[in-house]
Amino acid sequence: MNISAFSWRSIFGVNIPIGIIGIILGYYILPHKEPLFPDAKLDVPGILLFFIALSLLIIGLTTIEKNNPVMGSAFIIFSLACWALFIVQEQRTKEPLINLFLFKNRNYSVQSVGILLVQMGISGVLVIMPFYLEIVRAIPPDTTGLIVLALPVGMILTAPISGKMADVIGTKKPILVGFSLCAIAQFFLSTITADTRIGYIGLYLMLLGAGTGIAFSPLTTALMNESSVSDRAATSGLLRVMSNLGSTLGVAAVIFIAILAAGPKIAEVSSHLIPPSDLVFAFDFAFLFGMLISFAGLFLMLLVTPSEGTAHQ
């Protein structure tokens, strides 16, 4: 809606009052607790290497999206080098930013990747669906925003219920159900055409949001339960990292696949030589990729085994 009334840059201004309100509420509402380990030291070299490695990776993926694969690949290679240095640093320091020994626990490793895959699936759809609605269907931005809103609504409706279910039946079953629903929703999205009813598209998006909401909450709980009390702060940070990395990879992947599938037809549509509806198949390929991501998450979750840290599994 902001885009219809103002420029596209105005969408970033929405976060300013939200951030200010969050800071004020956090200051007055959140309880003050003494640190569990007041003598702990920050792993400054690890923090710097992590920041540089992640930044280079994001820049590299973004550069590849802009049809500059050579420069993008160079950034990614430098990123991999920084990741290697980060791993060496974390193994050498006494108080690492991320305790890499936690990844020797298969459940911890698998569920960390699960967080990444959930975010990859949903972020890709959130980015590419507006292009389909606006380019192929010629729907205005404000209406497009309302249609895409079905996805977070699905998450809001299911996430609290999923959390309660995980407390009763354990985390594994809700996660499997969530990934299954995501795969089904992505399959339905891959079948849309230039004439698919908007109501059906909204239903598919809500189903994807519901699956994401069902899977994400138990995933975070399961991952936290696999770590000791002293490692839970680092695990909480890892959750955010995997979520952000999944979002970045998901957006980069679906845009790359859609552009690759469309090929020269993008220029032909821009030149009005062919109708925008001829690009539908490119969006379908992108949604099929999302379905494969969900199936990968489903398969990985089958590898999770019962452990002392995850009750009721």
Side-chain angles (χ1 to χ4, degrees):
M1 293 183 182
N2 274 7
I3 296 177
S4 298
F6 307 100
S7 72
W8 62 268
R9 294 178 177 83
S10 64
I11 61 176
F12 299 104
V14 174
N15 292 321
I16 296 176
I18 294 175
I20 294 173
I21 293 172
I23 292 172
I24 295 173
L25 291 177
Y27 181 81
Y28 287 104
I29 295 177
L30 292 178
H32 175 73
K33 293 185 177 181
E34 295 297 327
L36 293 175
F37 306 98
D39 297 327
K41 297 180 180 179
L42 285 176
D43 177 20
V44 177
I47 293 173
L48 291 175
L49 284 169
F50 186 88
F51 173 77
I52 295 171
L54 189 59
S55 299
L56 288 173
L57 178 61
I58 294 173
I59 293 171
L61 293 172
T62 305
T63 305
I64 290 176
E65 285 178 36
K66 296 179 179 179
N67 295 323
N68 194 341
V70 176
M71 183 65 70
S73 299
F75 278 117
I76 291 175
I77 290 172
F78 282 119
S79 172
L80 293 175
C82 290
W83 283 120
L85 292 174
F86 172 76
I87 291 173
V88 172
Q89 166 65 20
E90 297 307 280
Q91 290 176 335
R92 293 175 55 184
T93 186
K94 293 182 179 179
E95 298 181 9
L97 178 66
I98 297 176
N99 186 356
L100 298 181
F101 290 102
L102 288 171
F103 289 96
K104 291 184 177 181
N105 179 340
R106 186 175 68 177
N107 287 356
Y108 191 92
S109 300
V110 166
Q111 289 160 352
S112 297
V113 176
I115 295 287
L116 182 142
L117 294 177
V118 167
Q119 287 298 124
M120 281 188 69
I122 193 172
S123 298
V125 172
L126 281 172
V127 167
I128 204 166
M129 179 55 73
F131 287 103
Y132 162 80
L133 294 172
E134 293 181 27
I135 296 174
V136 177
R137 305 299 293 269
I139 295 175
D142 52 351
T143 306
T144 294
L146 291 175
I147 296 170
V148 176
L149 192 62
L151 197 156
V153 167
M155 293 180 62
I156 293 171
L157 292 175
T158 59
I161 299 173
S162 176
K164 291 292 184 181
M165 287 175 57
D167 292 337
V168 177
I169 64 174
T171 57
K172 186 172 183 178
K173 291 179 181 178
I175 294 171
L176 292 174
V177 171
F179 271 114
S180 299
L181 290 178
C182 288
I184 293 170
Q186 294 272 24
F187 169 75
F188 283 135
L189 286 172
S190 71
T191 64
I192 62 176
T193 66
D195 302 315
T196 302
R197 292 185 178 182
I198 297 300
Y200 287 147
I201 295 174
L203 184 62
Y204 302 156
L205 290 173
M206 184 172 289
L207 181 62
L208 178 60
T212 303
I214 291 173
F216 194 82
S217 180
L219 261 175
T220 57
T221 300
L223 187 60
M224 294 298 291
N225 287 343
E226 291 291 343
S227 58
S228 63
V229 174
S230 60
D231 290 316
R232 285 186 178 175
T235 299
S236 178
L238 179 67
L239 278 169
R240 295 309 313 157
V241 170
M242 298 304 281
S243 295
N244 293 334
L245 184 58
S247 298
T248 303
L249 292 175
V251 171
V254 296
I255 292 179
F256 176 77
I257 290 170
I259 292 175
L260 187 66
K265 288 193 174 184
I266 296 177
E268 293 175 5
V269 169
S270 300
S271 302
H272 305 288
L273 298 176
I274 60 174
S277 58
D278 285 3
L279 292 177
V280 170
F281 74 97
F283 292 98
D284 290 342
F285 272 111
F287 294 132
L288 278 175
F289 171 78
M291 183 188 71
L292 294 177
I293 289 295
S294 297
F295 274 127
L298 183 63
F299 172 76
L300 283 177
M301 291 307 110
L302 291 173
L303 301 179
V304 174
T305 56
S307 65
E308 294 180 1
T310 50
H312 305 300
Q313 285 196 48

